[in-house]
Amino acid sequence: SWLKISIFSTRSPSQRVSWCKVEVTVESPKVITVLVSEEKMVHPPAVVTAINLKTIVNEKQNISEIVSASVLCFHNAKIDVPMPAPERKRSGILSHFTVVRNPGGTGYPIGWKKEVADRNSKNSCSVLSFENSERALLNRFFLELYKLDSDVLVGHNISGFDLDVLLQRSQACKVLSSMWSKIGRLKRSFMPKLKGNTNFGFGATPGLMSCIAGRLLCDTDLCSRDLLKKVISCSLTDLSKTLLNRDRKEISPNDIPKLFQSSKTLMELIECGEIDAWLSMEIMFHLNVLPLTLQLTNISGNLWGKTLQGARAQRNEYYLLHTFHSKKYILPDKFSQRMKDIKSSKRRINHGPEDQNVDELDADLALENDPSKGSKTKKGPAYAGGLVLEPKKGLYDKYVLLLDFSSLYPSIIQEYNICFTTIPRSEDGVPRLPSSQTPGILPKLMEHLVTIRKSVKLKMEKESGLKHLELDTRQEALKRTANNMYGCLGSSHSRFYAMPLAELIALQGREILQRTVDLVQNHLNLEVIYGDTDSIMIQSGLDDIEEARAVGAKVIQEVNKKYRCLKIECDGIYKRMLLLRKKKYAAVKLEFKDGKLCEEIERKGVDMVRRDWSLLSKEIGDLCLAKILYGGSCEDVVRAIHNELIKIKEEMRRGQVAIEKYVITKALTKPPEAYTDSKSQPHVQVALRMRQRGYREGFNAKNTVPYIICYEQGGASSGSSAGIADRARHPDEVKSDDSRWLVDIDYYLAHQIYPVVSRLCAEIQGTSPESIEADQPVILLHPSCLLQAMKKDTKTVSRWH
DNA sequence: ACCTGGAGCGC
DNA sequence: GTTGAGCAAGGCGCTCCAGGT
């Protein structure tokens, strides 16, 4: 036991306010003591339950109705250390349950009853049951959930879908509050307002959150978007493939009624729900969600449930609140947007004589109140950020050194003692650096984070296995917490919004980078070819890696001499590098991992790392890149690329390229109806049409929409007369609509392959000027020639199956 | 030839 | 004593596309 409650009272079962197994009332939180220190704490295991619903759409009312509900429960999850799959298998206790009902009300297929009985007896407990109404289904579901007494509810998009549907349907079916409120740990007698006015169409509303009081909610959709920024799509299907290497079967809501025709297909539906619940739970473990969010929560002192919801700004807010409070500061109140509005309109009344120009007042308000101005104008940057050096473009085949300042902004806060307490508030302009030597709260806090992180990393090296993983999670969380601080200073919504401080930090960053460049170029006589915010790349001109490393070491030594806290480090050495534009480059990177030198291609910002290019473009881009980075002479590279292009073009024309490779993916930043220029956006058009066809899921704000640019067979014109957005089709439309839509090969050649390849090759000619004149291969890569290679030849009609 | 909104990156 | 409204939201710099003027 780890918790001690010294004085408490109990109530009779009928008077209890919760569904908990034990319920006590205390007079004050002071009677509760934690028995062990955080260091020695052995966290009790948690009960984690994944939920998945299968629903059909009620066309008339445009709502989802539940057909089947599955739960999968992991009874002894560790919350403090990662649990890799083998560990889970070894020590896990799993149980599952599904309840189903026939939406048509026409009974169940022949033999179904026996099938269910067999399954239950095989598992020697009730794992499957069927009901005759949605209300009965819900009752049964809540009862099973109650028995599990879960600490954490997991699900993919559970906060945006499953939870809402469960409670909406409970309300519609008049499920008793004594049943539906079992979804949480608190007994409730009335349904709260489920459709809150907050969160722009995603996440759980406050009403929903209040219903699950006492349990944590882990939405693997939200979590994966937060933790895996670069993943193309966070749909359950795609994550299962990329993270777990598992294929997921998708069942469209429109097909569900058909599945009730036979026992076999109905069982497939049920298994699909159980597998989906399992996948979501697997993703949670795979991403190490619980241990990471627990660490983040413990460091910042906010609520775990909030950390699970994202709430980065709030984490930062709580951390600062605790710190300032412990130093006996009284903090200013937090003003809501509404309060800010009231305040500014009062000011307007107070000093606004009737004849004053209204525009002037508005401008005044915009400046004083909020850099994001009103709601209709898009907010521009409020202050200057990082410095990006003009790249010296080209292909480098001698060693390039990559140096960067570790945690630049947190270090600047320490180096220059930047804090609310050290810098006076001023009316305008960037404030000056403080002269005070007494460290402010913010720098001390940064130092604290850095110190703990160092000690955690040291301990980590000595440990192995689970302890190692736990400490790694903790040091990662400490880094995140430190890096979060700067962003929140510059966020106008933040309680600790301090634009002058953010501006000052960014200014120092720019000056530091520029000073470093000057030092390297003027005093060390080395050439800086690029740099972004906290990094510089130096062309060593050397073929010998040891010599290159020595040069790097010298630079590091010279730069670090100048600073107390700031530290520049070598982040890697590029053997060969293609520098295309600001924020766009690729290289063969050499890195020391476990004392061994490894080599890998690093790509930054180039088209291939962006989800808004088709797989086709990316594959060809990567192919060209590999030829460029590993290729021999310029001529060989050019010829190889040219041949590759011709080959691909032929394959496309012959219809030998899989349709999946043509899929382009773009994210909706808002609900599709909210776009003012939906006409020009292919993904918005596709989303609107799919929604009209009754596909509700996957076409909301923040979802990614896949599409293919097509032309209509037998349409008036085969090509570009219609806008690009009108010719975009969802992959399912292309597959199902009876070969009505054909991939527009010409579009892909001209708009997907040509731009990608030509950008990659743009710098090749420049690297060997002498070959431009005579050699034929270089000419092959001249834009006009490249275009020729891409151009249409004989007209061919391709079919896709 | 310019400008704009939107998206998605880098840091 | 209960109900209801409202709550939130990291930053800037830089291509690149598509459409409009």
Side-chain angles (χ1 to χ4, degrees):
Chain A
S1 137
W2 52 279
L3 202 64
K4 187 177 168 224
I5 301 169
S6 47
I7 310 160
F8 60 86
S9 58
T10 50
R11 296 185 193 182
S12 67
S14 63
Q15 287 177 311
R16 287 192 187 162
V17 296
S18 80
W19 300 113
C20 298
K21 283 171 186 159
V22 182
E23 183 179 318
V24 299
T25 309
V26 296
E27 291 296 326
S28 152
K30 284 177 183 163
V31 302
I32 304 172
T33 38
V34 180
L35 287 178
V36 281
S37 70
E38 199 187 319
E39 284 285 295
K40 292 180 194 152
M41 169 89 71
V42 179
H43 292 85
V47 179
V48 181
T49 302
I51 295 176
N52 185 271
L53 301 182
K54 292 291 170 224
T55 57
I56 51 167
V57 180
N58 178 328
E59 300 277 351
K60 266 180 263 164
Q61 300 171 52
N62 202 11
I63 48 170
S64 294
E65 295 178 357
I66 305 167
V67 170
S68 119
S70 302
V71 292
L72 177 76
C73 182
F74 195 90
H75 293 262
N76 49 351
K78 290 180 179 162
I79 53 174
D80 48 346
V81 291
M83 278 190 99
E87 158 90 8
R88 295 203 299 278
K89 245 178 212 158
R90 197 166 54 241
S91 66
I93 305 168
L94 266 180
S95 64
H96 63 99
F97 177 79
T98 296
V99 53
V100 68
R101 60 132 190 157
N102 189 344
T106 50
Y108 289 87
I110 299 158
W112 178 245
K113 218 170 170 177
K114 187 176 178 302
E115 191 95 28
V116 172
D118 284 353
R119 232 179 122 136
N120 286 335
S121 70
K122 207 166 78 189
N123 286 276
S124 62
C125 70
S126 178
V127 293
L128 186 55
S129 92
F130 55 98
E131 303 288 349
N132 287 321
S133 71
E134 197 176 5
R135 184 167 193 260
L137 178 147
L138 284 163
N139 278 328
R140 185 65 203 262
F141 177 79
F142 288 126
L143 200 64
E144 292 295 325
L145 206 59
Y146 168 68
K147 284 192 226 158
L148 295 171
D149 191 25
S150 318
D151 301 301
V152 187
L153 301 179
V154 196
H156 203 73
N157 196 18
I158 185 173
S159 64
F161 183 74
D162 303 57
L163 209 54
D164 185 50
V165 173
L166 278 169
L167 292 168
Q168 296 280 5
R169 294 314 295 159
S170 293
Q171 200 167 28
C173 298
K174 300 193 167 61
V175 173
L176 294 176
S177 66
S178 59
M179 289 311 288
W180 63 252
S181 79
K182 286 186 166 78
I183 196 158
R185 279 185 164 137
L186 215 52
K187 289 184 180 175
R188 302 190 61 130
S189 51
F190 64 95
M191 187 71 83
K193 206 173 122 190
L194 297 174
K195 288 262 181 278
N197 39 16
T198 172
N199 52 27
F200 302 92
F202 69 94
T205 62
L208 286 173
M209 289 309 288
S210 74
C211 287
I212 57 155
R215 308 192 203 280
L216 294 170
L217 188 66
C218 174
D219 186 327
T220 47
D221 190 1
L222 289 176
C223 287
S224 52
R225 271 189 233 156
D226 194 28
L227 297 171
L228 313 163
K229 281 236 139 119
K230 297 220 254 201
V231 152
I232 282 186
S233 149
C234 285
S235 70
L236 189 54
T237 306
D238 292 332
L239 283 179
S240 301
K241 191 70 200 163
T242 48
L243 298 184
L244 313 172
N245 195 25
R246 285 194 180 257
D247 291 312
R248 171 177 177 252
K249 194 161 124 194
E250 291 194 52
I251 294 182
S252 158
N254 303 356
D255 295 337
I256 286 181
K258 276 184 278 178
L259 301 177
F260 278 82
Q261 285 166 8
S262 81
S263 287
K264 186 165 164 287
T265 51
L266 184 50
M267 205 53 101
E268 277 170 20
L269 173 70
I270 284 153
E271 272 164 13
C272 180
E274 291 176 350
I275 287 170
D276 283 357
W278 181 80
L279 287 170
S280 178
M281 175 117 50
E282 285 291 303
I283 289 168
M284 182 194 78
F285 280 117
H286 187 92
L287 295 176
N288 193 21
V289 174
L290 294 180
L292 180 62
T293 52
L294 177 63
Q295 290 293 346
L296 288 167
T297 305
N298 283 345
I299 292 164
S300 56
N302 72 337
L303 299 174
W304 197 358
K306 286 290 178 182
T307 309
L308 278 167
Q309 296 277 101
R312 285 184 208 176
Q314 200 203 49
R315 236 160 55 210
N316 188 67
E317 180 180 331
Y318 273 58
Y319 189 32
L320 288 178
L321 282 174
H322 287 309
T323 311
F324 276 102
H325 180 256
S326 71
K327 313 262 182 204
K328 308 278 181 210
Y329 280 84
I330 293 174
L331 291 145
D333 286 336
K334 186 179 185 181
F335 289 109
S336 65
Q337 191 58 53
R338 195 177 135 72
M339 287 298 283
K340 286 181 192 164
D341 290 347
I342 290 167
K343 249 172 68 175
S344 56
S345 62
K346 266 189 191 156
R347 185 163 46 217
R348 194 173 182 157
I349 291 159
N350 286 343
H351 75 64
E354 271 77 27
D355 54 8
Q356 191 173 345
N357 188 323
V358 176
D359 287 344
E360 222 175 277
L361 266 172
D362 276 342
D364 194 41
L365 257 173
L367 272 174
E368 294 227 355
N369 191 25
D370 185 354
S372 66
K373 314 213 176 91
S375 51
K376 59 176 189 280
T377 41
K378 204 212 150 196
K379 89 176 174 154
Y383 62 93
L387 174 65
V388 185
L389 304 179
E390 193 57 46
K392 293 178 182 160
K393 300 172 191 168
L395 178 65
Y396 295 85
D397 54 6
K398 313 253 162 145
Y399 286 114
V400 170
L401 296 163
L402 173 58
L403 306 182
D404 62 12
F405 287 99
S406 47
S407 307
L408 180 69
Y409 287 175
S411 302
I412 288 174
I413 291 175
Q414 288 182 77
E415 182 87 28
Y416 301 109
N417 199 17
I418 293 171
C419 185
F420 305 92
T421 59
T422 57
I423 292 172
R425 284 167 186 255
S426 73
E427 288 307 308
D428 45 14
V430 191
R432 287 197 309 200
L433 286 174
S435 50
S436 164
Q437 294 301 306
T438 325
I441 306 287
L442 220 48
K444 268 203 263 184
L445 179 150
M446 285 295 174
E447 194 199 328
H448 177 66
L449 287 174
V450 171
T451 315
I452 322 178
R453 179 156 181 246
K454 261 188 208 153
S455 76
V456 170
K457 276 183 132 178
L458 269 177
K459 255 190 254 168
M460 187 178 100
E461 298 307 320
K462 289 186 212 143
E463 301 280 353
S464 62
L466 285 181
K467 191 72 190 168
H468 182 92
L469 293 176
E470 180 192 357
L471 293 170
D472 195 32
T473 308
R474 182 159 172 81
Q475 68 88 14
E476 173 71 22
L478 286 161
K479 187 173 108 184
R480 282 166 184 255
T481 306
N483 286 339
N484 218 2
M485 201 68 66
Y486 159 78
C488 291
L489 289 178
S491 167
S492 61
H493 317 295
S494 159
R495 178 177 195 145
F496 290 94
Y497 175 48
M499 196 181 81
L501 298 191
E503 200 174 6
L504 181 60
I505 292 166
L507 172 66
Q508 294 310 311
R510 292 196 298 277
E511 288 184 352
I512 287 163
L513 187 66
Q514 190 59 59
R515 274 205 297 274
T516 308
V517 172
D518 292 344
L519 176 82
V520 171
Q521 298 207 138
N522 302 339
H523 294 93
L524 301 170
N525 286 320
L526 293 162
E527 195 186 358
V528 175
I529 54 172
Y530 178 59
D532 185 344
T533 310
D534 63 351
S535 69
I536 53 168
M537 290 180 192
I538 300 172
Q539 182 184 18
S540 76
L542 298 168
D543 282 319
D544 185 301
I545 187 158
E546 288 310 321
E547 283 179 43
R549 289 180 78 185
V551 169
K554 173 78 182 156
V555 175
I556 289 169
Q557 194 194 350
E558 288 300 314
V559 174
N560 286 346
K561 250 194 235 172
K562 306 198 141 204
Y563 303 101
R564 190 167 51 89
C565 308
L566 278 160
K567 241 178 79 187
I568 203 166
E569 290 173 340
C570 183
D571 191 40
I573 297 178
Y574 293 150
K575 193 168 158 190
R576 236 171 127 94
M577 172 184 186
L578 181 64
L579 181 50
L580 293 172
R581 315 224 51 170
K582 284 180 173 177
K583 298 184 189 283
K584 284 174 193 250
Y585 59 89
V588 181
K589 187 179 187 179
L590 299 175
E591 245 181 328
F592 286 92
K593 275 180 191 162
D594 313 320
K596 265 180 77 181
L597 199 61
C598 6
E599 204 177 286
E600 65 178 7
I601 289 195
E602 182 166 88
R603 303 163 305 167
K604 290 290 170 75
V606 290
D607 296 327
M608 291 85 80
V609 304
R610 296 173 64 94
R611 76 159 79 101
D612 51 358
W613 290 96
S614 60
L615 187 57
L616 178 72
S617 320
K618 292 190 217 181
E619 280 182 357
I620 294 171
D622 277 332
L623 219 102
C624 294
L625 186 63
K627 299 254 187 256
I628 292 168
L629 289 178
Y630 287 113
S633 73
C634 189
E635 292 77 32
D636 290 346
V637 169
V638 169
R639 198 177 294 282
I641 290 176
H642 197 263
N643 290 340
E644 207 57 55
L645 290 180
I646 305 266
K647 201 176 109 198
I648 277 290
K649 185 180 69 170
E650 300 292 312
E651 283 175 15
M652 288 166 72
R653 294 251 183 255
R654 285 199 296 264
Q656 292 167 338
V657 176
I659 194 159
E660 286 73 23
K661 296 203 177 181
Y662 291 102
V663 174
I664 302 167
T665 316
K666 256 193 192 144
L668 294 165
T669 51
K670 47 192 176 188
E673 310 84 41
Y675 283 78
T676 50
D677 62 338
S678 63
K679 274 187 296 179
S680 67
Q681 309 256 34
H683 64 303
V684 180
Q685 285 292 303
V686 171
L688 286 170
R689 193 171 49 247
M690 292 303 277
R691 279 168 75 101
Q692 222 163 35
R693 287 178 155 208
Y695 294 88
R696 312 266 320 142
E697 261 188 285
F699 302 99
N700 287 314
K702 302 237 167 171
N703 286 138
T704 54
V705 180
Y707 62 91
I708 297 170
I709 302 298
C710 301
Y711 67 89
E712 193 168 5
Q713 188 173 24
S717 64
S718 63
S720 48
S721 71
I724 177 90
D726 296 328
R727 299 192 286 122
R729 286 295 172 279
H730 191 278
D732 290 348
E733 293 181 290
V734 181
K735 282 175 197 158
S736 66
D737 282 2
D738 236 11
S739 66
R740 179 176 156 206
W741 296 102
L742 303 175
V743 176
D744 187 343
I745 305 284
D746 291 331
Y747 170 85
Y748 280 88
L749 287 174
H751 292 93
Q752 285 279 315
I753 297 180
Y754 172 71
V756 171
V757 175
S758 88
R759 271 194 286 274
L760 282 173
C761 297
E763 300 307 320
I764 303 241
Q765 305 152 45
T767 45
S768 62
E770 68 275 13
S771 62
I772 284 184
E773 313 222 330
D775 286 326
Q776 190 196 1
V778 173
I779 296 170
L780 284 176
L781 278 189
H782 190 272
S784 63
C785 189
L786 208 60
L787 195 58
Q788 199 62 43
M790 299 279 85
K791 273 256 178 73
K792 43 187 129 174
D793 31 33
T794 50
K795 193 103 198 174
T796 45
V797 178
S798 348
R799 279 178 195 284
W800 303 95
H801 307 289

